[in-house]
Amino acid sequence: MHIKRENISPDNFLFYCSKCGNSQKISLKDLIIKEIPLLLDVDSHKLEQAYKKGNLKFYQNRFITALQFRKSVAKIEAGTMVCFSNEIHIIRGFPKIRRTLMLEKAMELHFQREVAVEEKMNGYNVRIAFINPEIVAFTRGGYVCPYTTRKASEIMDLSKFFYDYPDLVICGEMLGTDNPYVSHYYPEIGKLGFRIFDIREKVTGKPLSIKKKNYLLEKYNLPPVRLFGLYSLPEAPTKILELVKNLGENGREGVVMKDPLMKIPPLKYTSSQAHADELVYAFKFPFDLGKSFFFSRVVREGFQSYEMQESKDEMKKRAQRLGESILYPMVETIKHISADEVAGEDLVMEADNREEAEEFLHHLQELGVVAVLLKYENGRAVIRRIHQSTTDKIKNFLNGGLY
Ligand code: ATP
Ligand code: MG
């Protein structure tokens, strides 16, 4: 079945039957209850319900026409996109990676014999796929990000890979300081870079084995995340604890442990410094982010301190880091707001012209982010993201409001 992309609206899809060549109009509803359930192996009633509730949404922009899974439906992950170009391309949502608190015990229960340990890079999750005729980059929720789409193809030459493997999806992390979602400095990345951690199949989302993935990445000269090594299960936890300590001391996030064949879901484990960094960020905006970030980071610190069998001194350092990462940024923000400023963060991005920056701003606003273009100069844009609750609440408390 072929789809004509022009004239598409939720009520009016024009399909070509590839066998008989006759064109036939089909509504979005029919796609949802007839075609897509077959492709995804889900109950058509569930999909219909999801569409009615807005968890499955019609999505259209200059890159694609699609159905977006805003929330998971049965076994189909949130962020899954059913894209309509000359045929139907399905890009599955990137699955959640569970976290270990007690590394040794959890790994023993979860894995078999061997694990591949990769570096966990701190940026934002991107899936890149060939949606005829373009190479398109999706963020975690399934939105096509215009900035990421442009940059991905500038950073890497993806055309040969997708020419040979149009049915695979590249999953990776966009990194660096000029990264408008998650800005983090890596010496080897600098302003903007990309590292690939998975290659998955369209439709099923099934990942390639570590070996096959790295073979393909090397063959097509595409940048992989660091693979620290393959470890047997008994030796892995000690190695990982040491590794994660070192990573943390170098301002790096942590590791992802993977079954070499990728038959078992991966697990993640992160450094104390990464937890502290996230708390600093969250407590700069305590009334927007503080609460949802707080508890889980503190719990991670508790178990890590225990499992690392820390000395009194080491634990004290951790306690200090934890406390400082909560209190200092919050007091900074209170001071800032007392001087009649707003709680905001400045996102820096590269853009060839003002329109590009504005397009990204528009994309952010579509996601519900309150942001304004602060300045555009010499290929760089600064976008200010405003955290309204923090601004309003702190202002109120500074004026004597009660908690
Ligand atoms: P979740 O994946 O559990 O929803 P999250 O969105 O809060 O979590 P993180 O805590 O950063 O994200 O952990 C998972 C993310 O880590 C992945 O979605 C991916 O973007 C990123 N990541 C970085 N390096 C790797 C790697 N080597 N392997 C897999 N994922 C990695
Ligand atoms: Mg992350």
Side-chain angles (χ1 to χ4, degrees):
M1 187 174 277
H2 280 226
I3 297 169
K4 201 173 163 186
R5 200 162 116 84
E6 303 96 68
N7 308 322
I8 289 181
S9 75
D11 311 309
N12 192 12
F13 272 64
L14 192 57
F15 271 74
Y16 288 114
C17 174
S18 46
K19 280 193 199 118
C20 61
N22 289 335
S23 58
Q24 166 198 356
K25 270 188 184 171
I26 179 167
S27 69
L28 190 61
K29 187 171 172 200
D30 276 349
L31 265 174
I32 291 171
I33 58 178
K34 291 180 187 153
E35 292 291 324
I36 299 170
L38 288 176
L39 290 169
L40 285 176
D41 188 28
V42 274
D43 187 47
S44 67
H45 182 69
K46 280 197 179 136
L47 282 184
E48 202 184 357
Q49 284 300 105
Y51 187 70
K52 279 189 185 146
K53 281 197 216 149
N55 296 337
L56 180 61
K57 269 209 130 153
F58 183 72
Y59 177 98
Q60 189 168 38
N61 60 16
R62 75 175 162 97
F63 300 99
I64 58 165
T65 299
L67 275 168
Q68 177 187 34
F69 283 71
R70 291 274 177 101
K71 290 205 172 142
S72 63
V73 179
K75 60 178 195 306
I76 309 302
E77 312 79 7
T80 296
M81 296 297 280
V82 179
C83 308
F84 309 109
S85 74
N86 61 331
E87 56 196 51
I88 297 182
H89 300 259
I90 298 184
I91 315 299
R92 293 289 285 266
F94 191 81
K96 231 186 137 41
I97 301 182
R98 307 276 316 262
R99 174 183 296 280
T100 60
L101 287 180
M102 287 299 286
L103 196 57
E104 187 170 351
K105 279 279 185 306
M107 287 185 61
E108 205 180 291
L109 287 174
H110 190 82
F111 290 111
Q112 288 164 358
R113 287 187 295 281
E114 244 189 353
V115 281
V117 180
E118 285 181 356
E119 177 160 11
K120 182 177 194 302
M121 301 293 281
N122 183 15
Y124 64 95
N125 183 296
V126 177
R127 286 164 289 151
I128 307 172
F130 178 67
I131 312 290
N132 202 350
E134 280 183 274
I135 294 170
V136 175
F138 298 89
T139 58
R140 195 80 192 269
Y143 295 87
V144 175
C145 171
Y147 180 68
T148 315
T149 296
R150 190 171 52 248
K151 288 296 167 190
S153 287
E154 278 176 29
I155 295 171
M156 304 170 282
D157 182 4
L158 294 159
S159 53
K160 285 193 199 79
F161 176 84
F162 284 121
Y163 183 80
D164 290 345
Y165 295 99
D167 293 329
L168 293 180
V169 179
I170 286 188
C171 308
E173 199 86 347
M174 190 63 93
L175 302 158
T177 47
D178 278 12
N179 164 340
Y181 296 98
V182 178
S183 166
H184 184 90
Y185 176 71
Y186 284 105
E188 75 277 27
I189 301 278
K191 287 188 171 153
L192 200 68
F194 198 80
R195 291 291 181 266
I196 297 167
F197 45 73
D198 279 356
I199 299 180
R200 290 173 177 260
E201 289 173 3
K202 276 181 179 164
V203 189
T204 62
K206 216 178 109 203
L208 301 187
S209 70
I210 302 285
K211 208 167 158 187
K212 184 87 199 276
K213 169 186 73 172
N214 286 329
Y215 165 76
L216 286 182
L217 293 183
E218 199 179 322
K219 181 170 171 198
Y220 291 90
N221 196 23
L222 297 171
V225 290
R226 255 203 295 181
L227 172 66
F228 289 115
L230 284 172
Y231 301 106
S232 71
L233 254 202
E235 63 172 343
T238 320
K239 291 261 192 237
I240 294 170
L241 285 176
E242 201 181 296
L243 206 58
V244 167
K245 234 186 215 174
N246 276 326
L247 287 171
E249 281 160 13
N250 288 297
R252 305 179 78 102
E253 192 182 15
V255 297
V256 179
M257 290 84 79
K258 297 180 174 175
D259 167 32
L261 295 178
M262 293 296 281
K263 302 270 188 224
I264 305 170
L267 296 178
K268 59 190 178 192
Y269 189 71
T270 47
S271 68
S272 177
Q273 289 78 0
H275 307 154
D277 282 354
E278 288 177 343
L279 286 170
V280 167
Y281 175 63
F283 278 90
K284 260 190 209 161
F285 313 111
F287 297 102
D288 288 271
L289 307 171
K291 249 189 198 163
S292 60
F293 271 67
F294 178 63
F295 187 68
S296 80
R297 270 65 179 182
V298 177
V299 168
R300 292 175 204 171
E301 286 293 276
F303 282 95
Q304 189 168 86
S305 176
Y306 172 75
E307 189 168 22
M308 287 187 172
Q309 301 180 332
E310 285 180 321
S311 66
K312 257 195 174 157
D313 231 35
E314 285 170 321
M315 209 194 299
K316 191 161 186 177
K317 268 200 197 126
R318 187 188 291 273
Q320 227 152 23
R321 184 164 52 234
L322 181 62
E324 286 175 3
S325 64
I326 294 168
L327 196 67
Y328 289 172
M330 185 161 48
V331 177
E332 261 321 291
T333 299
I334 298 174
K335 270 192 201 151
H336 192 70
I337 290 175
S338 75
D340 250 356
E341 306 265 359
V342 295
E345 59 182 306
D346 289 351
L347 320 171
V348 180
M349 65 181 278
E350 294 169 13
D352 290 338
N353 47 54
R354 208 184 168 87
E355 286 68 47
E356 272 184 23
E358 273 164 2
E359 188 183 29
F360 180 74
L361 184 70
H362 185 72
H363 167 74
L364 284 183
Q365 287 162 348
E366 229 176 38
L367 301 177
V369 171
V370 184
V372 289
L373 181 60
L374 213 59
K375 69 172 181 202
Y376 176 76
E377 229 172 53
N378 306 327
R380 277 158 74 88
V382 183
I383 288 175
R384 177 160 294 173
R385 175 172 183 182
I386 293 162
H387 293 277
Q388 203 59 49
S389 286
T390 295
T391 309
D392 295 347
K393 288 234 163 82
I394 291 182
K395 238 187 212 155
N396 176 37
F397 296 139
L398 281 169
N399 289 324
L402 300 179
Y403 188 61

